Amino acid sequence: MKSIKKYPAFIDLSGRNVLIAGGGNACLEKLLGLENTQAKIHIISIYFKEPVLEYLKHHPEIKFEERALEEEDLSDRDLIFLATSDSETNAKFRTVAKKLRIWVNSVDDPKHCDFFSASVIDLGPVQFSISTDGRFAGVSSALRKLLEEVIPESDADLFEILFQMRKKLKTILPDIEERRLALKKIIKDLETTYFRKQN
């Protein structure tokens, strides 16, 4: 029997209400992943590790409370990350979230997840995401590092230039077929530079 495939998607979280339960390393990982999304982040935890508190010092827009999570805290959320490291707690609050029709990611607890976070390579206008459905984060991390070596972050500006070139080509080359051939040549050059097989 074939395994069920997940549908990959990039979600616009600007202005969305995102809850993170837990204040440890997993919380910090999610905060880093949510950077620049412009989401409205609220963290609730019975304790906060020092690296998380240090991060929050530089992000006063993030609301956080040092207390136990309650069922009422899940209301009016668009997305929830359960970073509690307690499977029973995850199961309890995911049940509440499902009744409220809110998607939940339970960190390192795949059976209590509605979606999985991906390991992302951010090159400005281009993003690559890698996922193992929460089963082996180390593999995602290793593949991300490999791709970062192949396509360094310093090349992000080149992709932006490429997109601008495509936009201008519509004016310079109004003929669709001629424009397609020009773009095909650019893509072939990219393949040759970045994705050619190594001997």
Side-chain angles (χ1 to χ4, degrees), residues 62 73 98:
I62 297 176
D73 295 319
K98 283 178 78 70

Side-chain angles (χ1 to χ4, degrees), residues 7 13 16 55 71 75 87 126 152:
Y7 183 76
L13 290 178
R16 299 290 185 175
Y55 181 92
E71 290 188 11
S75 297
S87 190
V126 176

Side-chain angles (χ1 to χ4, degrees), residues 67-104:
R67 61 174 175 82
L69 185 68
E70 298 175 358
E71 290 188 11
E72 305 85 70
D73 295 319
L74 277 62
S75 297
D76 300 319
R77 308 293 181 179
D78 293 298
L79 215 59
I80 297 172
F81 292 95
L82 296 174
T84 67
S85 72
D86 183 340
S87 190
E88 289 186 10
T89 299
N90 293 343
K92 172 187 172 182
F93 286 107
R94 188 196 177 201
T95 299
V96 175
K98 283 178 78 70
K99 290 178 182 177
L100 297 170
R101 297 181 180 274
I102 303 169
W103 284 9
V104 169

Side-chain angles (χ1 to χ4, degrees), residues 12-29:
D12 182 359
L13 290 178
S14 55
R16 299 290 185 175
N17 195 329
V18 176
L19 173 68
I20 301 176
N25 295 334
C27 170
L28 182 59
E29 179 185 306

Side-chain angles (χ1 to χ4, degrees), residues 119-123 126 128 130 140-156 159 194-195:
S119 186
V120 176
I121 301 161
D122 190 347
L123 295 170
V126 176
F128 297 89
I130 306 164
S140 295
S141 180
L143 288 171
R144 176 176 56 79
K145 288 176 182 176
L146 179 62
L147 279 171
E148 284 174 340
E149 288 180 13
V150 175
I151 309 175
E153 188 177 349
S154 58
D155 283 354
F159 284 105
Y194 292 116
F195 302 108

Side-chain angles (χ1 to χ4, degrees), residues 21-177:
N25 295 334
C27 170
L28 182 59
E29 179 185 306
K30 297 307 171 189
L31 286 172
L32 293 172
L34 288 165
E35 272 188 347
N36 302 318
T37 62
Q38 297 183 17
K40 294 178 181 178
I41 304 170
H42 185 185
I43 310 170
I44 299 174
S45 180
I46 56 175
Y47 77 99
F48 287 87
K49 282 194 172 182
E50 193 56 39
V52 176
L53 291 173
E54 186 62 32
Y55 181 92
L56 292 172
K57 284 180 186 177
H58 302 286
H59 294 273
E61 74 280 5
I62 297 176
K63 181 181 178 181
F64 66 99
E65 298 180 71
E66 193 169 353
R67 61 174 175 82
L69 185 68
E70 298 175 358
E71 290 188 11
E72 305 85 70
D73 295 319
L74 277 62
S75 297
D76 300 319
R77 308 293 181 179
D78 293 298
L79 215 59
I80 297 172
F81 292 95
L82 296 174
T84 67
S85 72
D86 183 340
S87 190
E88 289 186 10
T89 299
N90 293 343
K92 172 187 172 182
F93 286 107
R94 188 196 177 201
T95 299
V96 175
K98 283 178 78 70
K99 290 178 182 177
L100 297 170
R101 297 181 180 274
I102 303 169
W103 284 9
V104 169
N105 172 267
S106 299
V107 182
D108 293 330
D109 193 2
K111 65 181 178 294
H112 296 129
C113 286
D114 299 305
F115 70 97
F116 299 101
S117 298
S119 186
V120 176
I121 301 161
D122 190 347
L123 295 170
V126 176
Q127 288 185 313
F128 297 89
S129 66
I130 306 164
S131 174
T132 58
D133 288 357
R135 292 180 294 175
F136 199 161
V139 170
S140 295
S141 180
L143 288 171
R144 176 176 56 79
K145 288 176 182 176
L146 179 62
L147 279 171
E148 284 174 340
E149 288 180 13
V150 175
I151 309 175
E153 188 177 349
S154 58
D155 283 354
D157 289 344
L158 297 179
F159 284 105
E160 185 60 50
I161 291 169
L162 178 62
F163 291 158
Q164 291 301 321
M165 285 172 61
R166 181 184 183 275
K167 187 176 180 180
K168 289 179 181 178
L169 275 174
K170 289 186 176 182
T171 302
I172 299 168
L173 298 175
D175 182 79
I176 295 174
E177 184 60 26

